């Protein structure tokens, strides 16, 4: 596959005549003026890559035949000259090959040194050498275009020079010499084919095409991001970052988003494969993209483009992956400012509405983390956005309830709250670079305001109304939003590192699961506020508490929160990729049909369990990079782990957390850090493990 640049979005007639097309719908103005039937427009997302496999194969075979012909002619000429002159002539000595020991792996001392040598080794000619990365089999193993068998020799011929089989078998890590054109730049294909391969006995197999040695690095980073961080639209799900491909195919602003996508893609590859050089590449792309973002923000036109705000949102994921909650917050705040700049015109397109949903969701997550209400500057825009959503949309129901709860918590505790336990006897984990909420400390937090029984009853009524509304509305949600309750395997065969409790849930995809979990988070906050208000009222006026039979209500709150916590934990296996739904498998199958050969493989089910069996979950964990532990490899796996991080943090902040539940929560967060590359999850795990988190109201 070859990246073809920006495709033309003109209609076929205008492209054939090479005239300017106004791209009007349903037919362009040029065709209408000329009296022609407009054939319509191509899908830009399907034109980003072009299949060049057959052309490359033909070129390689013609090169082989040409070399074989020249070799036969040279042999015949030598034999004829030998007959004419019996005097022997010394043959030209073969070109000496460098010893594999001449290429020791270099240990870079700093990031700057690595960036200075970025053109060497792994990143030679802007291509990526899989042999240096340690992939077991980075290509599709269907026995199609490239042979991956290792029984033949590993001696590789590049042009007229060869690398000895002993050098390849010794494990020496050396860059692949990619032929350069006259300008000194690397080959435009970024891919080298093995021309010939000698067998151990010295024989050659002419006409055979072996695996390529390298692929364009940018293509690998882009594919890794689209495979792991994007949740595609399907059924009731509107997905997560599904508009990235559409924006990349546009003619304006795509360079900005491409830099952010590559920064996150390289960072994810670096953390999952333990390659420092890739992380240096990611840092370089992040720095360059930040410079472009600052220039775009200075331009009123560029600041309103979809590519600018999506770039800022993607960069927030980059900060989250390197455990920088402050950087994550700054990018979310910047994206919210861009929402205000874009105004209500963003709701006129489906892409603009989806971008608003993703940014608004991250905003509410940040407000919940530090205990502040939604910014007043966004309230008018939220009113305009409500006109674009259905009143029965589960996402909007959960989001609106979250806004109400944040306002209620601000009234109950005007100084905000902190999830950090400030008990002097509690131990603080070492090495934690960030905390779930650090904007408030015990020294500057305002004391709870004096509250009358009348105010307490008003707040209690609001919390009860929100909890009842959420429970009833989600009980009546459309069938496609419902989930299946699957029984976990028997205790004897249950993998306790993946499942907790007796059941797990199966949703349409991770986006739908995330909407349900946000509703449950709202209900936990509502019930937590109810319990807090009841206990505070008992301290103010015990007669009021006992005369209204609030003892039973308080016990019901504890049971409700325990039930909701179990539902949150039951949704984690699908978010982590331990199980996948039939809808996810269908989307994954469609993506694999159109993905280029040699790209990052997407995990498929390897458990042997029949996915049609309603009693058995369709397991699909598999190792992509040769890791000893399973990696969530389904499409959108990193996005699911990102959602799971906040769910597990919510569980870790709750009262009455058993040691078993705490240990399982910590295990999942650590797995997210090591396998999905979100280092922030490891900090969350340390706070939960050391009992440094508590509910927001105490």
């Amino acid at each position: 596959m070859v990246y073809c640049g920006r495709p033309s979005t003109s209609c076929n007639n205008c492209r054939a005549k090479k005239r300017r097309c106004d791209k009007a719908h349903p037919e362009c103005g040029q065709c209408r003026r000329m009296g022609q039937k407009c054939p319509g427009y191509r899908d830009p997302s399907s034109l980003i890559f072009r299949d060049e496999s057959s052309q490359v194969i033909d070129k390689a075979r013609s090169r082989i035949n040409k070399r074989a012909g020249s070799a036969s002619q040279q042999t015949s000429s030598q034999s004829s000259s030998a007959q004419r002159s019996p005097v022997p002539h010394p043959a030209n000595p073969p070109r000496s090959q460098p010893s594999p020991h001449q290429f020791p792996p270099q240990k870079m001392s700093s990031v700057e040194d690595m960036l200075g040598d970025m053109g060497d080794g792994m990143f030679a000619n802007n291509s990526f050498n899989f042999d240096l990365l340690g992939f077991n089999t980075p290509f599709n193993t269907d026995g199609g275009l490239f042979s991956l068998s290792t029984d033949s020799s590993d001696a590789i011929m590049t042009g007229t020079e060869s690398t000895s089989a002993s050098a390849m078998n010794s494990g020496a890590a050396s860059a692949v010499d990619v032929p350069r054109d006259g300008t000194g730049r690397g080959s435009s294909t970024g891919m080298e084919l093995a021309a010939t391969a000698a067998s151990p006995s010295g024989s050659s197999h002419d006409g055979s095409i072996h695996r390529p040695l390298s692929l364009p690095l940018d293509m690998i980073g882009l594919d890794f991001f689209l495979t792991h961080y994007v949740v595609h639209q399907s059924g009731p799900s509107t997905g997560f970052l599904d508009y990235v491909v559409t924006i990349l195919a546009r003619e304006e602003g795509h360079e900005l988003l491409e830099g952010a996508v590559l920064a996150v893609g390289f960072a994810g590859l670096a953390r999952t494969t333990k390659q420092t050089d890739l992380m240096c590449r990611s840092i370089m792309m992040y720095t360059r993209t930040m410079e472009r973002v600052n220039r775009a923000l200075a331009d009123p036109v560029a600041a309103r483009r979809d590519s600018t705000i999506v770039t800022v949102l993607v960069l927030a994921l980059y900060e989250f992956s390197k455990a920088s909650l402050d950087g994550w917050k700054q990018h979310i705040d910047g994206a919210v400012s861009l929402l205000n700049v874009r105004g209500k015109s963003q709701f006129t397109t489906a892409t603009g509405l989806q971008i608003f949903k993703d940014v608004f969701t991250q905003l509410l997550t940040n407000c919940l983390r530090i205990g502040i209400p939604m910014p007043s500057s966004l309230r008018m825009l939220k009113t305009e956005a409500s006109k674009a959503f259905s009143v029965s949309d589960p996402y909007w129901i959960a989001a609106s309830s979250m806004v109400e709860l944040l306002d209620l918590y601000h009234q109950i505790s005007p100084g905000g709250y902190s999830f950090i336990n400030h008990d002097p006897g509690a131990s603080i984990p070492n090495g934690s670079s960030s905390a779930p909420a650090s904007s408030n400390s015990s020294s500057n937090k305002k004391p709870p305001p004096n509250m009358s029984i009348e105010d307490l009853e008003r707040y209690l009524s609001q919390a009860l109304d929100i909890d009842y509304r959420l429970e009833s509305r989600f009980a009546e949600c459309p069938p496609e939003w419902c989930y299946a309750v699957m029984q976990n395997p028997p205790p004897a065969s249950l993998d306790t590192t993946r499942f907790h409790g007796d059941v797990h849930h199966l949703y349409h995809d991770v986006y739908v699961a995330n909407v349900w979990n946000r509703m449950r988070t709202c209900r936990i906050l509502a019930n937590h506020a109810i319990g807090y208000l009841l206990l505070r009222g008992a301290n103010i006026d015990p007669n009021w508490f006992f005369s209204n039979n609030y003892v039973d209500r308080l016990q019901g709150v504890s049971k409700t929160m325990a039930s909701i916590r179990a539902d949150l934990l039951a949704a984690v296996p699908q978010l982590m990729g331990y199980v996948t739904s039939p809808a996810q498998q269908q989307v994954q199958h469609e993506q694999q049909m159109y993905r280029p050969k040699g790209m990052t493989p997407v995990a498929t089910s390897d458990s042997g369990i029949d996915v049609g069996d309603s009693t058995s979950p369709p397991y699909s964990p598999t190792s992509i990079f040769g890791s000893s532990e399973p990696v969530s490899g389904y499409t959108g796996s990193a996005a699911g782990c990102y959602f799971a991080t906040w769910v597990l943090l919510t569980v870790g902040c709750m009262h009455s957390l058993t040691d078993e539940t705490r240990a399982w929560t910590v295990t999942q967060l650590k797995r997210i850090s090591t396998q999905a590359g979100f280092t922030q999850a490891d900090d969350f795990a340390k706070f939960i493990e050391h009992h440094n988190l508590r509910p927001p109201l105490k």
Side-chain angles (χ1 to χ4, degrees):
M1 293 292 172
V2 176
Y3 179 67
C4 304
R6 297 193 300 268
S8 173
T9 56
S10 302
C11 70
N12 293 335
N13 288 343
C14 291
R15 286 188 293 104
K17 299 294 184 180
K18 296 185 178 180
R19 63 194 181 194
R20 185 180 296 276
C21 181
D22 60 2
K23 305 177 182 62
H25 289 277
E27 58 181 2
C28 77
Q30 293 281 18
C31 293
R32 187 167 55 253
R33 183 174 60 84
M34 300 295 295
Q36 299 176 346
K37 182 178 180 181
C38 184
Y41 307 96
R42 303 179 297 176
D43 182 13
S45 61
S46 63
L47 303 174
I48 297 180
F49 298 99
R50 181 172 64 246
D51 191 354
E52 293 285 343
S53 301
S54 58
Q55 288 83 349
V56 173
I57 293 174
D58 293 339
K59 289 181 181 178
R61 286 175 176 168
S62 63
R63 199 181 307 121
I64 294 171
N65 295 333
K66 184 177 179 179
R67 189 180 296 111
S70 61
S72 61
Q73 293 177 3
Q74 183 177 2
T75 303
S76 60
S77 62
Q78 290 178 355
S79 61
S80 61
S81 62
Q83 293 176 359
R84 290 193 301 268
S85 176
V87 180
H89 296 278
N92 294 331
R95 252 178 113 169
S96 61
Q97 297 297 325
S99 170
H101 301 290
Q102 297 179 8
F103 300 97
Q106 299 178 358
K107 179 68 175 181
M108 299 298 181
S109 59
S110 63
V111 172
E112 289 75 12
D113 295 336
M114 295 179 189
L115 291 176
D117 297 336
M118 194 62 71
D120 300 331
M122 186 179 294
F123 302 112
N125 307 303
N126 199 30
S127 298
F128 186 73
N129 189 353
F130 278 111
D131 294 332
L132 299 182
L133 190 60
F135 277 50
N136 287 340
T137 170
F139 306 100
N140 295 335
T141 57
D142 53 0
L145 179 61
F146 302 108
S147 173
L148 299 183
S149 61
T150 57
D151 52 352
S152 61
S153 173
D154 290 331
I156 306 300
M157 301 292 296
T158 303
T160 60
E161 300 179 6
S162 65
T163 303
S164 64
S166 61
M168 299 300 292
N169 294 331
S170 64
S174 61
V176 179
D177 293 330
V178 182
R180 297 176 176 269
D181 53 22
T183 62
R185 295 174 299 184
S187 174
S188 59
T189 61
M191 181 182 294
E192 283 301 313
L193 297 178
T196 59
S199 63
S201 60
S203 61
S204 61
H205 304 278
D206 294 335
S208 62
I209 299 178
H210 295 268
R211 54 170 285 184
L213 298 180
S214 60
L215 288 173
L217 182 62
D218 288 354
M219 183 185 293
I220 295 176
L222 174 63
D223 181 79
F224 187 88
F225 180 89
L226 297 179
T227 301
H228 295 82
Y229 294 87
V230 174
V231 179
H232 298 280
Q233 297 186 20
S234 64
S237 171
T238 56
F240 179 69
L241 298 177
D242 188 45
Y243 38 76
V244 168
V245 176
T246 304
I247 298 176
L248 287 175
R250 294 179 182 174
E251 297 181 358
E252 293 181 341
H254 74 282
E255 298 92 351
L256 193 68
L257 179 58
E258 182 180 353
V261 165
L262 291 178
V264 176
F266 291 155
L269 266 173
R271 290 189 172 92
T272 53
T273 59
K274 311 301 182 185
Q275 292 295 323
T276 309
D277 288 352
L278 274 174
M279 183 56 67
C280 297
R281 188 79 169 201
S282 174
I283 295 173
M284 182 181 66
M285 294 303 302
Y286 175 82
T287 304
R288 184 185 304 171
T289 304
M290 285 299 299
E291 296 174 353
R292 293 179 176 178
V293 168
N294 292 330
R295 290 196 296 266
L297 295 179
D299 184 356
V301 177
R304 290 180 171 86
R305 290 175 182 163
D306 292 344
S307 58
T308 304
I309 188 172
V310 176
T311 298
V312 177
L313 183 60
V314 172
L315 291 178
L317 290 178
Y318 177 89
E319 296 289 350
F320 192 84
S321 67
K322 69 173 194 175
S324 175
L325 273 183
D326 290 337
W328 176 82
K329 176 184 179 298
Q330 291 175 5
H331 284 302
I332 296 301
D333 292 341
V336 171
S337 300
L338 290 176
L339 287 181
N340 290 320
V341 171
R342 290 157 60 89
K344 63 180 181 181
S345 61
Q346 61 188 311
F347 304 128
T348 58
T349 63
T351 300
L353 187 62
Q354 181 60 26
I355 293 173
F356 174 84
K357 290 175 62 176
D358 288 347
V359 175
F360 191 65
T361 300
Q362 303 309 309
L363 167 67
L364 295 180
T365 300
N366 183 52
C367 292
L368 174 63
R369 181 181 67 91
I370 58 181
I372 61 173
M374 186 181 71
S376 57
S377 59
L378 204 63
R379 293 185 181 271
M380 186 67 69
L381 197 61
K382 175 182 175 294
T383 303
E384 293 293 334
S386 62
K387 302 176 183 178
F389 290 98
S390 171
V391 294
S392 60
D393 187 351
Y395 164 80
W396 195 244
I397 294 173
S400 301
S401 300
M402 180 69 73
V403 173
E404 294 182 49
L405 280 167
L406 291 172
D407 292 339
L408 176 61
Y409 269 65
H410 183 65
Q411 295 175 0
I412 296 175
S413 179
Y417 56 78
S418 173
F419 288 107
I420 301 299
N421 185 7
H422 298 290
D423 183 4
S427 60
I428 302 296
N430 296 326
S432 296
S433 59
S434 58
S438 56
S439 62
N440 302 285
S441 63
S442 58
S443 59
N444 60 10
K445 186 175 179 180
K446 298 179 181 179
N450 295 327
M451 187 181 303
S452 63
I453 292 296
E454 291 76 14
D455 293 338
L456 191 146
E457 288 182 338
R458 184 174 70 255
Y459 300 151
L460 184 61
S461 177
Q462 294 179 21
L464 289 170
D465 179 67
I466 294 173
D467 181 60
Y468 174 77
R469 192 189 327 139
L470 285 171
E471 183 181 15
S472 59
R473 296 294 293 273
F474 271 78
E476 301 171 354
C477 65
E480 59 269 17
W481 278 88
C482 297
Y483 59 89
V485 179
M486 313 292 289
Q487 291 292 328
N488 286 336
S493 58
L494 177 64
D495 187 352
T496 56
T497 63
R498 300 187 184 185
F499 300 97
H500 185 274
D502 298 328
V503 299
H504 65 272
H505 295 167
L506 208 58
Y507 301 83
H508 179 84
D509 65 358
V510 294
Y511 170 82
V512 174
N514 188 50
V515 172
W516 275 91
N517 289 333
R518 295 189 70 83
M519 178 274 296
R520 295 180 179 118
T521 302
C522 290
R523 290 198 62 196
I524 285 179
L525 290 175
N527 281 272
H528 177 60
I530 293 171
Y532 172 81
L533 293 171
L534 291 177
L535 292 176
R536 190 163 180 182
N539 292 329
I540 297 174
D541 187 357
N543 293 329
W544 170 85
F545 179 79
F546 290 103
S547 62
N548 290 282
N549 295 325
Y550 282 139
V551 176
D552 296 337
R553 170 72 68 177
L554 191 60
Q555 294 177 351
V557 165
S558 300
K559 295 179 180 179
T560 300
M561 294 183 67
S563 175
I564 298 174
R565 179 175 60 198
D567 289 340
L568 285 174
L569 295 175
V572 170
Q574 185 174 6
L575 295 177
M576 295 289 293
Y578 304 149
V579 295
T580 53
S581 67
Q584 287 179 281
Q585 296 172 10
Q586 177 64 27
V587 172
Q588 181 173 307
H589 175 70
E590 294 174 357
Q591 295 300 317
Q592 288 179 329
M593 289 178 60
Y594 297 102
R595 66 188 296 104
K597 279 184 178 293
M599 288 289 92
T600 308
V602 178
T604 55
S605 178
D606 59 354
S607 63
I609 298 179
D610 187 356
V611 297
D613 186 0
S614 59
T615 62
S616 301
Y619 297 91
S620 63
T622 185
S623 177
I624 299 178
F625 306 108
S627 173
S628 59
E629 294 187 6
V631 175
S632 301
Y634 68 95
T635 303
S637 58
C641 290
Y642 176 71
F643 298 152
T645 302
W646 297 107
V647 172
L648 295 169
L649 176 65
T650 303
V651 172
C653 296
M654 297 180 64
H655 281 305
S656 304
L657 203 62
T658 63
D659 293 339
E660 179 185 0
T661 302
R662 185 181 302 276
W664 190 84
T665 303
V666 170
T667 300
Q668 305 311 310
L669 286 170
K670 290 183 177 180
R671 183 170 290 179
I672 291 173
S673 175
T674 57
Q675 298 180 14
F678 290 122
T679 314
Q680 183 60 55
D682 190 57
D683 284 353
F684 289 170
K686 292 177 181 177
F687 278 94
I688 296 175
E689 187 176 16
H690 293 82
H691 301 259
N692 289 118
L693 297 181
R694 64 173 179 80
L697 300 176
K698 186 175 181 180

